[in-house]
Amino acid sequence: MPKDSRDTRYDILFEPIRIGPKVAKNRFYQVPHCNGGGYRDPSAVAEMRRTKAEGGWGVIFTEQTEIHPTSEITPFIEQHLWEDRDIPALARMADAMKSHGALAGVQLAYSGVNGPNLYSREVPLAVSGGPILTFTADPVQARTIDREDIRDIRRWFRNAVRRSQTAGFDLVCFYGAHGFGILQHFLSRATNQRTDEYGGSLENRARFLREIVEDAREETKGALAVTLRLSLHEAGAMGFSNAELRDFIEMHGDLPDLWDLAHGTWEQCSGTSRFKPEAAQEDLVRGIKALTTRPVVGVGRFTSADEMVRQVRSGVLDFIGAARPSIADPFLPRKIEEGRFDDIRECIGCNICVSGDMTGGISRCTQNTAFMEEWRKGWHPDRVRPKGVSETVLVVGAGPTGLEAAMQLGRRGYRVTLAEASSALGGRVARERRLPGLSAWGRVADYRTGQITPMPNVEIYLESALTPEDVLSLGCEHVAIATGAEWRRDAVARFHLAPIPTDPALPVYTPDDLMAGQGPTGGRVMLYDDDHFYMGSVLAEMLVARGCAVDFVTPAAIVADWTRNTLEQPTIQRRLLEIGVTLHLSRAPLSVGPDRAILACTYTGSESVLAADAVVMVTSRLPKDGLYHAVRALDWPGAGIRSVKLIGDAAAPGPIAWATYAGRRYAEELDEPDRGDALSFRREIAELLPHVPLTPA
Ligand code: ADP
Ligand code: SF4
């Protein structure tokens, strides 16, 4: 659709906006975001950013870029700009960002008291020394910087700015949000206890910021725009509060070319949809625009064009900042511009992308299966290669795996038959979306259903539980079996590798039972969680709402241990405590009797008795692969079938993102030549240097 046919309601989002010496073509601003690839996967990151350029973003940023080895946050994999040899990787990214007229920005970070330097082994340098403040509680302390150190850090920032300019960036952003950057450490009385001219009054605490902004302007002769990314509100009596931020902006409104504002900690800023709605930071940012002539950008997991317009029209924001919405749909701006609202793949707010960074893996996105595979596998968020030699594919099961497979196969041009046993599309997300706090997860099904329904080459059959004979008789050349998984009832997971003795007199339920509307509606319920992700705590909330007294038993030392990777763990534990759930940590049931469970401490083995009227086991899942094995046992080649594959949860149960990825992979690889033992993705290997002594600087 040409631009002049754009709905005029959204024109305001496409106005060019000046940022100091640069002009952004529109108000869509991809704020810095990590991706788990960083310096290890430079081309993968560059291609990922290119899709955002193609998708119409006006400004595109890198992830955190560490300016000096005295401050790095291993094990998290970000970017480095430590020496000139780091420039080419960043230049590749800047080129990709600018490929469709976006401005390219680099976020420069000096982590100070947040950087343990586990890789560089340098002594960490902090505004005020003390224990390193990280997610991993590293047993390391930082030294308090003196005036000479401050001069050094200013010079390192200046060097990084020069390298950024050489790499081709239009904007440099100094990082002082989320508690991660030294700018915030200077501003906050919690991390700045100095008594010299850099501590005490707000004017003093702001000195370093003024200096590095001035240095950057001088270094680039004003050619680059300079932005500040600051926390909207740091909690605690000594924290850099929203009121202080407002005072600071009032005093220094014209210091940067743009204010980029993000809530206090990363957990608060990137809350999941379970705990934070769209536009959750509005109260903290409203009114700040009046304090400055510079544009203001803020985030809020914005996926609704109407909400974006409201943010701008009501004077809250100038730019619509987005990290996760831009990951889930790099083409969000273009789809709004072209009026293709049904094609928008909305972020579901699950933070699986964040978990890629937290685990040192590479980030995935539940919704955008191409995320971080743009270069590694040549996948594109919205396009797939045309089909191969075959014509027809049967996909059995319409959960996230089957829906994604059917959608991508349909896009490739195959004739697809999608058979689903139940009366609804979506599989597990059709059920999980009804659980407390998980309604946004329904978007996984809604987007895919919306895409395949109009496709003439995809036929959908509901209430069609296929038998092995049905599969053979349907006459498709390829069969993908995506029949999902079911929760176990016997306590087997990580702690118990074999079933535990269970008295049939005590009712035992699984998450599937509860999602089907069964299970207790009162009395005392023991919920045993050896899954450690979201399901246990979500069901605990549901049981409390049903009137049950819930005893939450887990072998882990904290509830929902893995949700540390989705930044939810503290919120989940707080929520359970607040609603009256009793926690039994580092405990597992040894047996379940008629009215009780015998628990054992996972460290000492000491036993205790827990009275219970019912038990809910949130442990592990069994693949539903019976259909697959039954088909394989028949003469399927004789029926003209060329391949039968088991995919998604039916092969190996995992998070929803693993399921959508499996569907995409199946569709991408159909009719492709077998790669044998060759890697299924591209990767970069570090350049080997000759064995020569370290040269003087
Ligand atoms: P995944 O996450 O891998 O997509 P789900 O459990 O979400 O797995 O979805 C699997 C879907 O497969 C469910 O909707 C289920 O109803 C469907 N299904 C299971 N067995 C059959 C079958 N024999 N024929 C058709 N659909 C089936
Ligand atoms: Fe959104 Fe989840 Fe994708 Fe992250 S992984 S961008 S939170 S849908």
Side-chain angles (χ1 to χ4, degrees):
M1 191 185 278
K3 287 183 186 154
D4 56 12
S5 62
R6 179 174 68 218
D7 187 327
T8 51
R9 260 182 310 168
Y10 305 116
D11 281 354
I12 197 167
L13 299 176
F14 294 91
E15 288 170 352
I17 304 283
R18 174 162 291 282
I19 310 175
K22 305 286 179 180
V23 177
K25 66 176 178 178
N26 60 36
R27 295 182 189 262
F28 292 90
Y29 191 107
Q30 183 243 275
V31 293
H33 70 72
C34 58
N35 47 72
Y39 63 79
R40 184 192 58 202
D41 298 296
S43 294
V45 184
E47 280 312 294
M48 177 268 287
R49 305 283 182 205
R50 186 188 304 280
T51 64
K52 316 239 194 176
E54 195 192 341
W57 295 84
V59 180
I60 304 171
F61 262 90
T62 64
E63 57 272 53
Q64 164 162 346
T65 300
E66 296 167 348
I67 63 162
H68 197 263
T70 52
S71 187
E72 51 94 7
I73 60 166
T74 301
F76 306 98
I77 303 176
E78 312 298 325
Q79 293 291 343
H80 293 157
L81 209 37
W82 293 353
E83 52 180 330
D84 288 352
R85 290 194 304 135
D86 289 313
I87 294 174
L90 271 298
R92 177 168 293 192
M93 181 144 48
D95 270 1
M97 290 165 165
K98 294 190 293 189
S99 59
H100 290 76
L103 295 179
V106 57
Q107 183 189 43
L108 301 179
Y110 191 88
S111 302
V113 79
N114 191 249
N117 298 348
L118 301 177
Y119 176 77
S120 69
R121 299 180 174 179
E122 298 286 353
V123 171
L125 303 177
V127 175
S128 294
I132 290 295
L133 306 173
T134 57
F135 293 115
T136 42
D138 304 289
V140 177
Q141 295 210 180
R143 166 171 80 69
T144 302
I145 50 179
D146 58 21
R147 288 203 180 84
E148 203 179 322
D149 295 317
I150 291 176
R151 276 198 296 278
D152 286 343
I153 297 172
R154 281 179 61 182
R155 189 177 66 257
W156 298 333
F157 267 111
R158 200 184 253 270
N159 290 344
V161 168
R162 174 176 49 74
R163 291 181 178 124
S164 301
Q165 190 170 21
T166 308
F169 288 101
D170 300 299
L171 292 79
V172 289
C173 165
F174 294 120
Y175 191 26
H178 304 140
F180 291 164
I182 197 163
L183 275 61
Q184 182 174 354
H185 306 155
F186 268 109
L187 286 172
S188 163
R189 283 173 298 133
T191 45
N192 182 349
Q193 283 117 37
R194 303 180 71 89
T195 52
D196 63 5
E197 68 272 27
Y198 289 93
S201 68
L202 182 55
E203 192 61 27
N204 278 357
R205 284 180 275 135
R207 187 178 307 278
F208 181 79
L209 275 75
R210 291 198 303 275
E211 288 174 346
I212 57 167
V213 170
E214 282 156 18
D215 290 346
R217 291 240 161 77
E218 196 182 282
E219 184 63 37
T220 63
K221 301 191 174 54
L224 263 62
V226 180
T227 78
L228 287 178
R229 184 154 221 228
L230 298 182
S231 278
L232 275 164
H233 179 70
E234 186 188 2
M238 307 272 283
F240 188 62
S241 66
N242 193 249
E244 260 202 311
L245 173 78
R246 286 169 196 257
D247 289 346
F248 171 69
I249 294 180
E250 209 164 4
M251 284 157 68
H252 301 291
D254 293 343
L255 178 64
D257 294 312
L258 171 144
W259 296 98
D260 175 354
L261 303 171
H263 202 158
T265 61
W266 192 21
E267 299 89 301
Q268 290 164 328
C269 184
S270 295
T272 55
S273 56
R274 183 175 167 193
F275 299 109
K276 293 251 167 151
E278 186 171 354
Q281 304 180 26
E282 183 172 337
D283 287 348
L284 291 171
V285 79
R286 192 186 302 112
I288 289 185
K289 249 175 68 55
L291 307 176
T292 173
T293 58
R294 305 302 200 216
V296 171
V297 57
V299 290
R301 222 175 53 247
F302 296 115
T303 55
S304 148
D306 291 315
E307 179 58 37
M308 296 176 196
V309 168
R310 193 184 69 76
Q311 292 284 325
V312 176
R313 286 218 182 282
S314 61
V316 179
L317 298 176
D318 295 295
F319 281 99
I320 303 301
R324 290 171 294 172
S326 79
I327 292 173
D329 199 336
F331 282 64
L332 184 60
R334 249 172 79 173
K335 288 174 183 174
I336 293 173
E337 177 153 46
E338 294 169 3
R340 294 166 48 211
F341 296 101
D342 292 344
D343 291 341
I344 293 174
R345 206 171 33 243
E346 286 183 281
C347 168
I348 69 166
C350 62
N351 278 6
I352 283 294
C353 49
V354 172
S355 76
D357 192 53
M358 295 292 285
T359 56
I362 197 161
S363 290
R364 301 177 184 244
C365 172
T366 304
Q367 282 284 63
N368 174 11
T369 48
F371 182 56
M372 295 309 286
E373 297 290 25
E374 301 86 351
W375 180 82
R376 297 204 318 166
K377 292 195 163 179
W379 294 1
H380 186 275
D382 280 5
R383 288 193 298 269
V384 270
R385 65 177 74 96
K387 77 173 191 58
V389 293
S390 309
E391 295 295 337
T392 55
V393 190
L394 168 65
V395 178
V396 188
T401 308
L403 284 175
E404 174 78 9
M407 180 182 75
Q408 300 293 358
L409 289 164
R411 284 181 180 162
R412 287 192 68 185
Y414 291 98
R415 276 189 288 126
V416 181
T417 303
L418 176 63
E420 165 55 44
S422 73
S423 56
L425 298 176
R428 61 185 288 185
V429 295
R431 295 186 295 274
E432 292 184 23
R433 71 187 304 171
R434 295 200 297 266
L435 293 173
L438 300 189
S439 62
W441 295 26
R443 293 172 174 181
V444 173
D446 296 344
Y447 166 70
R448 288 163 179 81
T449 305
Q451 294 292 298
I452 58 177
T453 305
M455 284 184 192
N457 54 332
V458 178
E459 286 188 279
I460 303 170
Y461 296 93
L462 292 174
E463 296 178 343
S464 303
L466 299 193
T467 63
E469 291 72 25
D470 293 335
V471 170
L472 260 60
S473 67
L474 276 166
C476 292
E477 291 165 87
H478 300 278
V479 178
I481 297 194
T483 42
E486 61 194 350
W487 288 90
R488 296 183 75 124
R489 204 174 288 277
D490 56 8
V492 170
R494 294 169 174 84
F495 188 78
H496 290 300
L497 300 179
I500 59 170
T502 306
D503 188 322
L506 189 69
V508 176
Y509 298 98
T510 68
D512 292 321
D513 297 332
L514 267 61
M515 285 189 277
Q518 300 157 15
T521 51
R524 199 153 176 191
V525 180
M526 179 187 89
L527 187 150
Y528 174 51
D529 183 8
D530 195 14
D531 173 56
H532 309 285
F533 198 12
Y534 58 89
M535 187 57 83
S537 60
V538 166
L539 292 184
E541 277 190 54
M542 187 169 134
L543 288 166
V544 168
R546 283 184 183 184
C548 304
V550 178
D551 288 290
F552 191 102
V553 178
T554 178
I558 53 177
V559 301
D561 200 352
W562 201 80
T563 63
R564 285 182 295 115
N565 298 313
T566 53
L567 307 177
E568 294 171 287
Q569 197 284 327
T571 314
I572 290 176
Q573 191 144 343
R574 184 166 60 246
R575 165 82 50 101
L576 293 192
L577 291 169
E578 282 170 357
I579 62 174
V581 171
T582 307
L583 304 184
H584 304 264
L585 304 175
S586 309
R587 306 221 142 231
L590 294 181
S591 63
V592 175
D595 57 2
R596 71 192 58 191
I598 306 298
L599 305 185
C601 169
T602 54
Y603 293 101
T604 65
S606 73
E607 294 184 12
S608 53
V609 175
L610 182 67
D613 301 314
V615 169
V616 175
M617 294 286 186
V618 186
T619 50
S620 61
R621 289 183 293 155
L622 282 170
K624 284 178 25 182
D625 53 6
L627 179 68
Y628 170 77
H629 291 297
V631 171
R632 298 289 296 194
L634 298 174
D635 178 18
W636 53 273
I641 296 175
R642 293 171 52 196
S643 73
V644 182
K645 291 254 166 75
L646 183 67
I647 58 173
D649 286 326
I656 300 165
W658 273 242
T660 51
Y661 183 82
R664 175 79 185 245
R665 183 167 184 183
Y666 174 80
E668 287 277 352
E669 294 180 357
L670 191 69
D671 282 333
E672 287 299 298
D674 184 358
R675 296 185 54 77
D677 289 344
L679 281 194
S680 65
F681 57 92
R682 289 198 285 177
R683 71 188 183 114
E684 276 155 335
I685 297 179
E687 173 200 9
L688 292 181
L689 293 179
H691 271 299
V692 290
L694 202 58
T695 48

